Amino acid sequence: MDTQVIEKKNMPPKIMVIANGRMRIYDLNRFMTVGRTTEDGMADIDLPFSYVSRRHGVFGCDEIGYFYADTGSKNGTYFKDQRITPNNKLYLTDGMVLHLYGSNVVSAIDFTALIFMTEYPESFVENIIDLYNNTSEIKIGRHLKNSVTVSDLNVSELHASFFAAKLGWAVIDHGSTNGVYLNGDRLSEPRYIKMGDCVRIANYYFVFLGNRILSQRPSGNVPVQNVPQAQIPQSVQPQRGGIALQQNQPVPQQQSYIPPQPVYQQAQQNIGNNAPLDIHIINRSIWEKAKHRLLLENIDIRIQPGEMVLILGGSGAGKTTFMNAVMGYEKAQGTITHGRRDIYKDFAEMKYEIGFVPQQDLLRGGDIVYDTLKSSAEMKLPSSMNKAMVLERVNSVLNTMGLSREKDKLVSKLSGGQRKRLSIAVEYIADPSLFFLDEPDSGLDGNMATSLMKNLKDIANEGKIVMVITHAPDRAFSLFNKVIVLAKKSSNDSGSLAFFGTPEEAKKFFETDTLEAIVGRINRPDEGGEGMADYFIEKYNKMTGRS
């Protein structure tokens, strides 16, 4: 077992500057300017880049401690992805990371990282870890078997890994004693990394530059590179230009070293999973015949991982519109976040985390079931997965969806229920974190529909969020964790939140014996209902303190 070693040293503070893919170290004086040197003057920390203002910010020290202040720069200074308030002092603690950048960060020249350090190796040199021509996993730790060895007692034998995941490079803490920090926050789960992110392991920093990682290594400590070659996912391959590490002879494995499970199996599925889905829709509207029409408004809910959620609503209440807005297919005014990721802002990445099964399938009747799923797997799964892993995933999904016995059949020969299962399997094969289904049980008899819903519950039990629109909810009443009820306001016909809670709570709230009866309570009389939508919207707003 690793022992936590805390070695406090009285060392003067320094600023590590990562700019244009290189590392510079400055002794921090009581007052230092940060900016772009011009004919009018020279900054103490000179950053000759267009996104840096001539007088961008200052480091200083007062009776409280060291601080940084942005001096009203054009592009701002960022701390944990949030722009700091100009001319306000941000007091610094060891390991704090500040970022400067413009509107588009695509390469190492587009950002600068400023790292405040009071604890650091006494002697270290700049090190480059190549990612393009290297491997799909870089292991870091104290043991010589790792890809990069750091001989520091504060570093665990196997401390952390950078690995090529589904949507790009990611970092994971392998249960280290002293933790792994991403831009100052300790990791509790695997996280994707983006250009300029700083990962701290003990007193060493690893800065992600897209095709390589810039890091420190103690002088005289030569990194060991002993990892098999593997292909990086094609969708995330960066531009060439990295500098390869020196290759060394393999080091015999020692008994104290326990290799981890394959990173894909250990952490791939955890990235983006185990995070809540926060839905905050102010409104969703369209222009129709030169008039502004409101479709949705005032929806605030949080869905936890592992929950299977029913979307229930009256006629024209906006169930499909709501689902499209949450998936990012049709943006609403508001925010939809999954953990720390914004589905609207990060849609280019998040779309791979979203599975959607529409009412009508797009399957080809002349294809074999197994080939259909295998083709989908080859298209959607990361190319870092070898053939054996892909086939294992295909067989696993066939089993989960109850299609193993039908794998050699033509799609056209499947029953309606089996065809629905295959449509779901085609989306599920990519292992999405968020799974949306629009009437998956449409056209199925009671037994087939209930069996299909049980398959979806199994998917939710993997820690995923599953959201379902169905017009026969009582067949799977016990399987749903939560119910979202949308009702149409009489004043403007917009869909509003009339209830969010468990199915049992929903029946009590609407004073009904079944979920299907809820729709009758909120539909208008001309739609065969009781016309009580406004009453229940107001009742829910009062119950939750929203009005």
Side-chain angles (χ1 to χ4, degrees):
M1 180 180 294
D2 294 299
T3 302
Q4 185 173 19
V5 177
I6 305 297
E7 186 180 355
K8 296 292 184 180
K9 299 178 181 179
N10 186 19
M11 304 175 74
K14 293 181 182 290
I15 298 295
M16 177 188 289
V17 177
I18 309 297
N20 197 19
R22 301 305 303 269
M23 180 185 298
R24 288 184 286 168
I25 306 295
Y26 291 83
D27 291 324
L28 182 56
N29 299 321
R30 294 189 66 84
F31 184 86
M32 295 180 69
T33 58
V34 177
R36 177 163 44 91
T37 294
T38 65
E39 295 178 356
D40 298 331
M42 176 176 291
D44 296 311
I45 299 178
D46 176 30
L47 302 171
F49 309 112
S50 60
Y51 58 84
V52 177
S53 298
R54 287 180 295 177
R55 185 175 171 84
H56 202 104
V58 296
F59 286 100
C61 184
D62 60 18
E63 65 279 2
I64 298 177
Y66 284 92
F67 64 84
Y68 173 87
D70 184 282
T71 51
S73 65
K74 178 181 178 181
N75 291 310
T77 305
Y78 290 81
F79 175 59
K80 295 184 179 179
D81 291 329
Q82 298 295 318
R83 187 167 180 167
I84 67 176
T85 305
N87 300 310
N88 279 13
K89 294 179 180 180
L90 176 65
Y91 286 94
L92 305 172
T93 57
D94 184 54
M96 283 181 64
V97 181
L98 305 174
H99 283 98
L100 316 180
Y101 48 78
S103 59
N104 194 21
V105 181
V106 297
S107 69
I109 199 173
D110 298 323
F111 79 92
T112 295
L114 306 171
I115 305 172
F116 177 76
M117 304 186 302
T118 58
E119 297 179 28
Y120 44 85
E122 293 184 6
S123 178
F124 59 86
V125 296
E126 182 182 284
N127 184 53
I128 296 292
I129 303 173
D130 177 42
L131 298 178
Y132 184 75
N133 289 314
N134 229 304
T135 181
S136 58
E137 183 185 6
I138 303 293
K139 301 174 186 175
I140 300 170
R142 200 170 71 243
H143 200 282
L144 295 177
K145 186 71 173 179
N146 292 300
S147 311
V148 176
T149 302
V150 180
S151 298
D152 187 316
L153 291 178
N154 289 299
V155 177
S156 299
E157 289 199 352
L158 176 60
H159 199 108
S161 286
F162 293 99
F163 64 99
K166 185 186 305 181
L167 305 181
W169 282 90
V171 62
I172 180 175
D173 182 348
H174 289 299
S176 65
T177 302
N178 293 314
V180 177
Y181 293 81
L182 176 59
N183 296 327
D185 289 334
R186 184 164 183 167
L187 291 184
S188 59
E189 60 183 0
R191 290 279 303 279
Y192 282 107
I193 51 178
K194 61 183 181 299
M195 183 70 66
D197 276 348
C198 299
V199 173
R200 182 184 183 186
I201 296 173
N203 296 328
Y204 301 89
Y205 291 87
F206 299 77
V207 183
F208 182 62
L209 303 179
N211 61 351
R212 61 196 187 278
I213 292 173
L214 180 67
S215 70
Q216 308 154 279
R217 65 175 170 85
S219 300
N221 183 8
V222 180
V224 176
Q225 186 71 14
N226 178 32
V227 285
Q229 297 299 299
Q231 185 179 1
I232 296 173
Q234 185 68 30
S235 62
V236 298
Q237 283 186 357
Q239 298 294 317
R240 293 181 181 271
I243 303 172
L245 292 172
Q246 179 181 353
Q247 298 289 324
N248 292 289
Q249 294 298 318
V251 177
Q253 181 173 334
Q254 298 182 15
Q255 292 299 317
S256 61
Y257 179 80
I258 302 175
Q261 299 175 356
V263 168
Y264 179 81
Q265 297 176 6
Q266 182 182 33
Q268 171 75 45
Q269 298 180 7
N270 293 330
I271 303 180
N273 291 353
N274 302 317
L277 177 66
D278 289 300
I279 301 171
H280 172 57
I281 295 177
I282 299 172
N283 66 67
R284 165 80 176 102
S285 59
I286 58 172
W287 285 95
E288 189 176 75
K289 296 180 180 180
K291 293 183 179 180
H292 197 244
R293 182 185 170 200
L294 198 60
L295 303 179
L296 294 172
E297 63 176 328
N298 196 26
I299 300 174
D300 285 286
I301 56 177
R302 165 173 278 197
I303 300 171
Q304 297 294 341
E307 289 187 334
M308 183 164 158
V309 181
L310 167 67
I311 302 174
L312 194 63
S315 177
K319 298 184 294 295
T320 300
T321 300
F322 169 75
M323 182 177 281
N324 287 338
V326 174
M327 290 189 292
Y329 294 176
E330 299 175 1
K331 291 185 179 179
Q333 182 181 351
T335 57
I336 314 294
T337 56
H338 186 219
R340 298 190 178 190
R341 291 182 293 175
D342 187 308
I343 289 180
Y344 291 169
K345 293 180 180 179
D346 303 323
F347 185 73
E349 295 180 358
M350 283 300 301
K351 63 183 179 182
Y352 299 106
E353 294 286 325
I354 297 170
F356 174 54
V357 181
Q359 293 183 43
Q360 301 298 322
D361 69 60
L362 302 175
L363 303 175
R364 296 187 300 187
D367 290 346
I368 300 295
V369 169
Y370 186 86
D371 293 341
T372 297
L373 196 54
K374 181 172 176 286
S375 295
S376 180
E378 291 171 344
M379 180 175 65
K380 296 179 179 181
L381 289 173
S383 56
S384 59
M385 292 181 67
N386 59 36
K387 184 177 180 179
M389 294 172 70
V390 171
L391 297 182
E392 180 183 356
R393 176 65 179 166
V394 170
N395 289 320
S396 173
V397 172
L398 284 170
N399 183 62
T400 298
M401 298 309 302
L403 290 170
S404 296
R405 289 178 18 178
E406 284 73 32
K407 67 179 182 179
D408 295 323
K409 283 186 179 181
L410 286 171
V411 172
S412 61
K413 300 299 183 181
L414 297 177
S415 68
Q418 291 166 345
R419 191 164 177 132
K420 285 285 188 180
R421 291 174 190 273
L422 183 56
S423 294
I424 294 171
V426 165
E427 287 296 309
Y428 176 52
I429 195 74
D431 197 29
S433 303
L434 306 172
F435 211 24
F436 299 84
L437 304 100
D438 193 352
E439 298 189 46
D441 54 347
S442 177
L444 304 183
D445 63 33
N447 289 334
M448 289 293 291
T450 301
S451 177
L452 181 66
M453 289 295 184
K454 288 179 179 177
N455 291 140
L456 297 179
K457 182 62 175 178
D458 289 339
I459 293 175
N461 288 338
E462 295 177 0
K464 304 180 188 305
I465 291 173
V466 178
M467 302 182 69
V468 181
I469 295 175
T470 176
H471 292 296
D474 291 296
R475 294 188 295 197
F477 174 88
S478 63
L479 300 178
F480 292 109
N481 301 99
K482 297 287 175 58
V483 180
I484 298 169
V485 180
L486 300 176
K488 192 165 50 176
K489 295 176 69 173
S490 61
S491 60
N492 56 9
D493 276 350
S494 67
S496 295
L497 186 63
F499 181 78
F500 176 64
T502 68
E504 284 292 349
E505 291 169 341
K507 290 195 298 183
K508 291 179 182 178
F509 181 84
F510 289 96
E511 301 175 5
T512 64
D513 295 327
T514 66
L515 293 178
E516 291 179 41
I518 292 173
V519 177
R521 306 223 71 186
I522 58 181
N523 271 351
R524 296 194 308 245
D526 60 344
E527 297 167 335
E530 300 176 32
M532 298 183 67
D534 290 341
Y535 169 78
F536 285 111
I537 292 171
E538 183 63 24
K539 179 181 177 181
Y540 181 71
N541 286 341
K542 288 181 178 179
M543 184 180 77
T544 57
R546 290 152 51 96
S547 64

